[in-house]
């Protein structure tokens, strides 16, 4: 009985270490959100930090409000891609754990 408990504790610790590493990897990953057919691009990390904004020169002659809308749309696209990437990564990581689909981890 004690051996089974020790094995279970080791397995839980391994899962926790794997989750921590996956979260660190996800935080470092970058995605690119786009708007206006790629005229505005936003590069964002898995922690939702914006690393770069790229605006095509063609857009510099456009209306300020339009450019602002495209930047906002590109940021929103990047956020959705980060969330999808993180969800996919967690799904792969927890698939063998017997958890119900769409289970939210408490961290």
């Amino acid at each position: 009985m004690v051996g089974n408990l020790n094995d279970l504790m080791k397995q839980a610790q391994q899962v926790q270490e794997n989750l921590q590493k996956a979260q660190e990897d996800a935080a470092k990953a970058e995605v690119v959100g786009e708007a206006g057919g790629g005229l505005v691009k936003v590069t964002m990390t898995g922690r939702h930090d914006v690393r770069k904004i790229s605006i095509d020169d063609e857009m510099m002659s456009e209306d300020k409000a339009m450019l602002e809308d495209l930047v906002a749309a590109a940021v929103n696209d990047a956020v959705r891609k980060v969330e999808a990437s993180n969800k996919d990564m967690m799904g792969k990581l927890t698939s063998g754990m017997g958890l119900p689909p769409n289970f939210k981890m408490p961290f």
Side-chain angles (χ1 to χ4, degrees):
M1 172 99 169
V2 172
N4 289 341
L5 184 58
N6 285 339
D7 290 342
L8 185 61
M9 293 300 288
K10 285 179 185 178
Q11 188 176 15
Q13 183 177 3
Q14 184 66 40
V15 168
Q16 185 176 9
E17 289 171 4
N18 290 345
L19 284 172
Q20 185 175 1
K21 173 139 178 37
Q23 287 172 333
E24 290 169 4
D25 290 345
K28 293 176 189 174
E30 291 186 350
V31 299
V32 177
E34 298 183 10
L39 294 174
V40 176
K41 297 178 182 177
V42 173
T43 303
M44 181 179 287
T45 69
R47 291 177 43 124
H48 298 97
D49 294 331
V50 174
R51 291 278 189 219
K52 180 180 177 184
I53 296 177
S54 174
I55 301 172
D56 191 279
D57 290 339
E58 178 182 327
M59 294 304 303
M60 300 315 284
S61 63
E62 292 296 326
D63 177 50
K64 179 182 180 231
M66 177 192 267
L67 183 56
E68 290 171 343
D69 288 345
L70 288 175
V71 170
V75 168
N76 290 336
D77 185 45
V79 167
R80 284 189 291 277
K81 288 179 178 179
V82 166
E83 295 302 319
S85 176
N86 289 345
K87 183 178 177 181
D88 182 53
M89 180 269 310
M90 289 302 288
K92 288 177 183 175
L93 200 64
T94 59
S95 65
M97 296 174 62
L99 297 174
N102 297 324
F103 180 77
K104 296 234 182 222
M105 292 296 213
F107 40 86

